[in-house]
Amino acid sequence: MKEQILELLSKAIPDLTTEEISGLIEIPPKPELGDYAFPCFRLAKTMHKAPQVIASEIKDSIGEVEYIDEIRVVGAYLNFFLNKNIYVKNVLDSALKDDFGSSTEGNNKTICIDYSSPNVAKNFHIGHLRTTIIGNSLYKIYSKLGYHVERINHLGDWGTQFGKLIVAYKKWGSEEEIKAKGIEELMRLYVKFHQEADNDDSLNDEARAWFVKMEQNDEEALKIWKWFVEISLVEFKRTYKLLGMDFDHFMGESFYRNMTPDVLKKLTDANLLTESQGAKVVDLSEYDMPPALILKNDGSSIYATRDIAAIFYRKETYNFEKCLYVTGQEQKLHFKQVFKVIELLGNEWAKDGLVHIPYGLVSLGGEKLSTRDGNVIYAEDILLEAISKVKEIIGEKNPDLENKDEVAEKVGVGAVIFNDLYNQRIKDVSFKWSHLLNFEGETGPYVQYTYARCSSILRKLPDFVLSSDIDYSVLNDESSVALLKEIAKFPSVVKEASERYEPSVIARYAVDLAQAFNTFYTQNRINVEEKNIRDARCTLVAVTRRIIKDALDLLGISVVEQM
């Protein structure tokens, strides 16, 4: 309906573009002010008339329209009151289609998303949850818009830290302990190295030497390194399974290590490399950035070199429209440098095709988490704790619930995911159990409970058959129309989330939709004797149920039929 109003206004206002008019159309804060409103303040400057006069002239120009009951001039605003029957029919006809909220805009286009990317030999901690959860949601959002998405887990499986770990293993570790304790022992050794290196800097020299051996394909160094990688992947995949997520590629930094000579050749041929204290760098002072380090003075590569190699590999292999990097905002400068180097090599596609998507920190009790100091909270522990707490709540409120374990897992994991995605990604996130697991607040459990309520209503009416052949006049009341307005927003919400790289748009919409439904449910009896009323309201319940499911799926959250 907004598109139809936009078309009417575009014909009546030649001074503004369609995009400008669309940006000015508002939804009034109260239903008595209409369904849509158009402010005329801006037109006063170009038309040299009072806004109220302009509003009246536009109203006269539009005249009578079948799908609009009334156009009312209120001050400088033009308020549109829709024909409710036509509006209800239009929204439900669209929402009943299987592809509601989907799009073909991404057809034959590929997006690569680089996310999660934990460091090998370090446990998957709470800090990795944000990139994993945000990246997975973006994958689902772009897939719904028709894009082919390559999900890439760029594991931190190469670099000087592995030299440190090899030194620690040889000095203080044992094969038996690592086999028995896995990544927990590797973490202990990593922390131990830094504690010892604080008093003995020669350990850092040993670590650098071992990493050079790795780069030179030393057999012993690579054998130990591969063992550490295998141990880590087992742990990581267990957490991904708990989150209900997967990847198309586990391609860490090591995958690109043999491509770094080609990067060096490209930079050399383009006369971009300069020497600085024995290291090779790209001077970026012209762009108000420090130099990009490409090769260290000991001849070993750095992660920036491997990131550059990865970009060329992905462009050649997948021919991506965009390559998105979901990492912490502390890496903002790093990606600015890397993207600029790609651009300086003559690749214009780098300007719009490479995007860093930063996010804020994660804390529990307000503390920043640091692997190096041993102050780390494992993601798996957070998820299992959430599941355990939901089990306790179910035990208190609904002890006879079937499939309690399955419900607790979906609600517990969903609560953690929703808590993250409800916040704008650039903001810091703190886990507070009292909020996280609240079944009545702006939370995952609240939205999941609303879905379960819809399912319960429909289970009690097994004879109901979903159809567009209903009495639309039944849904003219204020709460029904308010719910339909939320439903109508879904396609534009998905689009906005993709344009802003912001899953919180979906999460907040899911809460708004759930709240609108619960108001409708409170004010309207569903199971009534009159078949036309029952069928119309059941249709609205069924449509709401499906869109809640779709919205939660875009966040990576499963629904439950009973709670």
Side-chain angles (χ1 to χ4, degrees), residues 455-472:
S455 296
S456 175
I457 293 167
L458 296 174
R459 274 197 305 274
K460 292 173 182 175
L461 296 165
D463 295 335
F464 166 70
V465 178
L466 185 63
S467 167
S468 60
D469 185 17
I470 59 171
D471 182 353
Y472 295 105

Side-chain angles (χ1 to χ4, degrees), residues 48-240:
H48 306 293
K49 296 178 183 178
Q52 294 93 325
V53 174
I54 297 171
S56 296
E57 290 178 353
I58 294 173
K59 175 188 173 181
D60 293 341
S61 173
I62 292 173
E64 292 187 5
V65 182
E66 180 190 15
Y67 54 85
I68 296 175
D69 276 347
E70 181 186 1
I71 301 176
R72 189 184 300 167
V73 176
V74 181
Y77 282 84
L78 203 60
N79 290 2
F80 294 84
F81 293 79
L82 301 175
N83 179 301
K84 294 296 187 287
N85 283 355
I86 293 176
Y87 178 74
V88 170
K89 183 179 188 305
N90 282 356
V91 173
L92 284 177
D93 283 353
S94 296
L96 283 166
K97 294 177 183 175
D98 290 338
D99 62 352
F100 185 62
S102 301
S103 167
T104 58
E105 73 166 65
N107 285 9
N108 302 314
K109 296 176 184 176
T110 294
I111 286 181
C112 293
I113 309 183
D114 180 324
Y115 63 106
S116 194
S117 310
N119 290 321
V120 163
K122 298 179 186 178
N123 208 300
F124 194 105
H125 63 71
I126 192 175
H128 293 122
L129 273 176
R130 293 219 74 188
T131 167
T132 307
I133 290 169
I134 293 168
N136 184 66
S137 181
L138 290 174
Y139 148 67
K140 287 175 171 287
I141 290 166
Y142 283 108
S143 296
K144 193 164 187 69
L145 295 177
Y147 290 91
H148 172 73
V149 182
E150 296 285 348
R151 299 168 292 175
I152 302 171
N153 197 325
H154 188 76
L155 296 167
D157 67 351
W158 201 251
T160 308
Q161 69 267 30
F162 292 98
K164 295 176 181 180
L165 202 53
I166 292 172
V167 171
Y169 166 61
K170 284 185 161 291
K171 287 185 179 294
W172 308 294
S174 72
E175 185 176 345
E176 293 74 21
E177 283 292 301
I178 291 175
K179 283 183 176 178
K181 298 180 181 178
I183 208 164
E184 180 186 340
E185 176 63 7
L186 295 181
M187 287 278 291
R188 185 191 72 80
L189 292 172
Y190 186 76
V191 172
K192 172 78 170 173
F193 177 90
H194 283 281
Q195 290 170 342
E196 296 293 331
D198 284 343
N199 300 315
D200 182 3
D201 191 53
S202 68
L203 290 171
N204 289 311
D205 294 330
E206 288 185 51
R208 283 188 284 268
W210 271 105
F211 178 56
V212 171
K213 284 185 178 183
M214 286 170 59
E215 292 241 292
Q216 294 172 347
N217 295 317
D218 177 84
E219 187 176 341
E220 181 188 10
L222 290 182
K223 182 180 179 182
I224 298 171
W225 164 75
K226 285 178 183 175
W227 182 39
F228 292 165
V229 172
E230 289 165 4
I231 290 168
S232 302
L233 275 174
V234 171
E235 301 263 350
F236 297 159
K237 287 182 178 180
R238 190 172 66 240
T239 302
Y240 293 135

